């Protein structure tokens, strides 16, 4: 089933044509890895899926982006960002307890029932592979967690409001290999319930977790295919060159 449909998408920031004539689909319950060198349009593409680019006053776009066959321009911004959550490159815990971090979004949406908050917090922390590490210290400051734990806490905070899609913008860029593996394990499990889009500069990570992989270059979508095919028999020599480390 198709989750996102993108038709002839173009994005500009001032005079810079950042995304050029992109046509693609994102399937429900898949992990789509998005790879490409710096300034290839990966993050701009990701931020377009929940309209974060709209915050830039120089932003302009044409084309169509549909979520469950509804143009995202017609979806209330707050509702869209509840349905399409985002995890950023650097973990950004709030200056609150571990528990209050996880349920922050729920409270913002008016949920006050203590039992509901406790149940959603536990469920979200389990889905983020963090529950066993923090279940006895939920009242401690989130800043006492390691970097890897803070990133999984941010994933749990995103999950708590029950999105349909989770966008990951280089979520492991500052993490050690053990923490990275835990985030990747969580992602593979999460696709049972959610659709995931992962922007990563780590082609090995893209290969490990992606069901399909999209290769961007200079704002263009060069190739999109099943991950094993992209990494073993790419159709475009530029894809092959990037994966082999010849540029980027």
């Amino acid at each position: 089933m198709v989750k996102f449909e993108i038709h002839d998408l173009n994005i500009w920031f001032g005079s810079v044509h950042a995304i050029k004539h992109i046509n693609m689909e994102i399937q429900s319950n898949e992990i789509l890895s998005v790879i490409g060198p710096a300034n290839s349009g990966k993050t701009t593409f990701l931020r377009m899926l929940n309209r974060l680019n709209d915050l830039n006053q120089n932003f302009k776009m044409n084309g169509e982006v549909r979520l469950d066959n509804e143009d995202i321009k017609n979806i209330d911004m707050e509702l869209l960002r509840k349905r399409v959550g985002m995890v950023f490159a650097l973990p950004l815990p709030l200056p609150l307890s571990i528990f209050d971090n996880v349920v922050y979004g729920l409270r913002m949406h008016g949920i006050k029932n203590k039992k509901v908050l406790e149940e959603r917090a536990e469920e979200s922390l389990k889905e983020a592979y963090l529950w066993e590490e923090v279940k006895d210290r939920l009242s401690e400051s989130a800043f006492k967690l390691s970097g890897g734990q803070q990133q999984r806490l941010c994933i749990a905070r995103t999950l708590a409001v029950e999105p349909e899609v989770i966008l990951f913008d280089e979520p492991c860029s500052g993490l050690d290999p053990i923490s990275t593996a835990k985030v990747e394990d969580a992602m593979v499990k999460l696709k049972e319930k959610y659709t995931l889009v992962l922007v990563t500069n780590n082609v090995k990570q893209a290969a490990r977790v992606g069901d399909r992989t999209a290769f961007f270059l200079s704002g263009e979508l060069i190739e999109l295919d099943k991950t094993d095919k992209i990494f073993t028999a790419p159709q475009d020599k530029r894809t092959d060159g990037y994966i082999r480390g010849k540029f980027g």
Side-chain angles (χ1 to χ4, degrees), residues 14-247:
S15 61
V16 177
H17 196 177
I19 293 287
K20 302 167 185 171
H21 306 291
I22 287 185
N23 293 280
M24 62 185 290
E25 294 178 346
I26 300 172
Q27 306 292 330
S28 296
N29 302 102
E30 77 167 343
I31 301 176
L32 175 68
S33 294
V34 181
I35 60 173
N39 301 314
S40 61
K42 306 186 300 293
T43 295
T44 296
F45 168 76
L46 192 74
R47 291 168 68 90
M48 173 273 305
L49 296 174
N50 70 351
R51 294 182 58 190
L52 275 177
N53 291 318
D54 292 33
L55 299 171
N56 186 315
Q57 61 183 12
N58 296 315
F59 165 75
K60 188 177 74 172
M61 72 166 268
N62 62 32
E64 195 174 50
V65 181
R66 302 184 75 83
L67 171 62
D68 291 334
N69 208 30
E70 183 178 5
D71 194 319
I72 63 171
K73 284 185 277 194
N74 299 330
I75 302 174
D76 175 78
M77 193 84 80
E78 190 175 324
L79 175 60
L80 177 65
R81 290 181 186 157
K82 183 178 185 294
R83 292 175 65 187
V84 185
M86 189 153 183
V87 177
F88 296 92
L90 290 174
L92 297 168
L94 302 165
L96 302 167
S97 71
I98 294 168
F99 178 82
D100 288 337
N101 262 272
V102 179
V103 301
Y104 181 82
L106 293 171
R107 285 176 169 151
M108 291 292 285
H109 289 294
I111 296 172
K112 297 185 173 73
N113 184 297
K114 188 169 183 245
K115 188 167 187 293
V116 171
L117 294 174
E118 287 174 348
E119 286 174 354
R120 285 298 300 138
E122 180 175 345
E123 184 181 343
S124 302
L125 286 164
K126 283 178 175 175
E127 287 184 325
Y129 279 46
L130 189 57
W131 174 251
E132 290 301 325
E133 296 166 47
V134 302
K135 63 183 180 182
D136 298 321
R137 46 192 294 215
L138 295 176
S139 59
E140 286 185 19
S141 166
F143 294 133
K144 290 189 176 180
L145 299 175
S146 70
Q149 289 172 325
Q150 287 184 12
Q151 189 62 295
R152 281 178 283 144
L153 178 67
C154 292
I155 293 171
R157 189 173 68 206
T158 300
L159 294 173
V161 296
E162 299 181 284
E164 299 162 34
V165 181
I166 310 168
L167 312 176
F168 291 89
D169 189 9
E170 299 178 35
C172 303
S173 60
L175 303 185
D176 61 79
I178 292 171
S179 297
T180 295
K182 287 182 178 178
V183 171
E184 290 177 1
D185 287 346
M187 291 175 72
V188 170
K189 188 74 177 162
L190 288 172
K191 75 175 180 180
E192 294 174 11
K193 285 177 64 176
Y194 309 93
T195 299
L196 282 67
V197 185
L198 166 68
V199 162
T200 179
N201 285 325
N202 183 337
V203 292
K204 290 180 178 176
Q205 180 175 63
R208 283 193 296 266
V209 302
D211 297 297
R212 294 190 303 151
T213 294
F215 172 57
F216 278 65
L217 184 65
S218 301
E220 295 180 47
L221 174 61
I222 304 301
E223 193 165 350
L224 170 60
D225 212 329
K226 290 182 178 176
T227 294
D228 56 357
K229 192 171 177 194
I230 286 277
F231 280 87
T232 57
Q235 298 297 300
D236 193 290
K237 63 183 180 183
R238 292 169 292 180
T239 311
D240 186 59
Y242 179 73
I243 287 168
R244 292 176 183 272
K246 292 180 180 175
F247 67 93

